[in-house]
C-alpha cells in the first residue's frame, strides 16, 4: 500500500461523528420594521441603486429603449417581453460585449442587500457576472429580513447553480481602495415591484 493510500485510509477511519445542524429560532434573529427601507439602505451603501415601481410597464419601455440603442442587451424576464433564450449556448467570449442584463430575482435579503437568483432565471450562468450593467427585478413580498429567512424560502439544491448577488462587483483589497466593477457588473439597479 502506498503512502497516499495509507493517509486516505487513516482519514476515512477517523471521521468525526455527524452532528445535526442547530435549529435557528427565526423569532430570535434580527428583524426590521420596514424590510424595503433596510434593503434599500444597505444596497445603496454598497454601491447599488434601488427603486420601487408599481408594475413592470416602466421596465418594458426601458428594455425597449436599451434594445433600440444597438448595444448588446439580454432580457431573461418573460414579463418584460421576449426572452433572449439564445444566450443559453453562448460562451464567455461571445458574451464579452454584453452591456446590460435584465434578470428576475427570487428573494431579497434586507440585512445585506443580496438577491437570490436561480440558474434558470439567468438562462446562462455568465449573464449576471459578465454584463456591464445588471438590472434585477424582485417583488416586494419576496423581501425577507435575514439570510436565515431566505434559506427557508429558496431551494439551494434545486438547480445546478444559483447565487446571492449584492450590488455591483466590488473589491477593496488593493491598497484598501474600493473598486467598483473589478470582476463583474459595474452597476446594479434593483427594481422592487410594490
Amino acid at each position: 500500500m502506498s503512502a497516499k493510500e495509507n493517509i486516505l485510509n487513516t482519514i476515512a477511519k477517523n471521521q468525526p461523528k455527524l452532528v445535526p445542524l442547530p435549529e435557528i429560532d427565526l423569532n430570535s434573529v434580527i428583524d426590521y420594521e420596514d424590510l424595503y427601507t433596510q434593503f434599500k439602505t444597505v444596497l445603496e451603501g454598497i454601491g447599488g441603486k434601488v427603486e420601487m415601481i408599481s408594475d413592470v410597464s416602466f421596465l418594458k419601455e426601458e428594455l425597449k429603449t436599451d434594445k433600440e440603442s444597438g448595444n448588446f442587451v439580454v432580457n431573461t424576464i418573460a414579463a418584460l417581453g421576449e426572452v433572449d433564450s439564445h444566450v443559453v449556448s453562448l460562451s464567455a467570449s461571445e458574451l464579452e460585449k454584453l452591456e446590460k442584463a435584465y434578470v428576475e430575482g427570487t428573494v431579497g435579503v434586507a440585512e445585506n442587500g443580496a438577491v437570490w437568483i436561480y440558474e434558470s432565471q439567468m438562462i446562462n450562468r455568465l449573464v449576471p457576472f459578465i454584463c456591464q450593467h445588471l438590472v434585477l427585478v424582485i417583488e416586494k413580498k419576496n423581501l425577507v429580513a435575514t439570510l436565515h429567512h431566505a434559506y427557508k424560502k429558496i431551494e439551494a439544491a434545486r438547480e445546478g447553480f444559483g447565487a446571492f448577488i449584492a450590488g455591483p462587483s466590488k473589491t477593496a483589497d488593493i491598497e484598501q481602495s474600493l473598486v467598483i466593477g473589478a470582476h463583474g457588473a459595474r452597476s446594479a439597479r434593483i427594481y422592487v415591484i410594490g
Side-chain angles (χ1 to χ4, degrees), residues 89-110:
S89 61
L90 297 183
S91 68
S93 60
E94 293 168 309
L95 287 169
E96 179 183 4
K97 292 186 177 19
L98 180 57
E99 184 67 18
K100 198 170 193 181
Y102 289 78
V103 181
E104 185 174 13
T106 301
V107 175
V109 185

Side-chain angles (χ1 to χ4, degrees), residues 5-100:
E5 289 171 327
N6 279 336
I7 292 170
L8 292 175
N9 287 336
T10 303
I11 290 171
K13 290 177 190 173
N14 291 300
Q15 293 294 313
K17 282 186 169 184
L18 289 177
V19 177
L21 293 172
E23 287 292 322
I24 304 293
D25 178 11
L26 294 181
N27 295 318
S28 67
V29 298
I30 195 166
D31 199 9
Y32 302 100
E33 201 170 298
D34 183 349
L35 293 176
Y36 172 74
T37 300
Q38 177 66 21
F39 180 75
K40 179 179 172 81
T41 300
V42 171
L43 198 48
E44 289 184 347
I46 59 174
K49 302 287 183 219
V50 181
E51 188 176 332
M52 178 82 77
I53 58 174
S54 58
D55 59 43
V56 297
S57 56
F58 163 77
L59 286 175
K60 287 180 181 179
E61 286 303 313
E62 183 180 308
L63 175 62
K64 181 181 174 192
T65 302
D66 286 340
K67 292 261 187 180
E68 289 171 351
S69 73
N71 290 327
F72 185 11
V73 177
V74 168
N75 174 41
T76 69
I77 306 171
L80 298 184
E82 186 178 343
V83 172
D84 297 307
S85 54
H86 70 281
V87 300
V88 71
S89 61
L90 297 183
S91 68
S93 60
E94 293 168 309
L95 287 169
E96 179 183 4
K97 292 186 177 19
L98 180 57
E99 184 67 18
K100 198 170 193 181

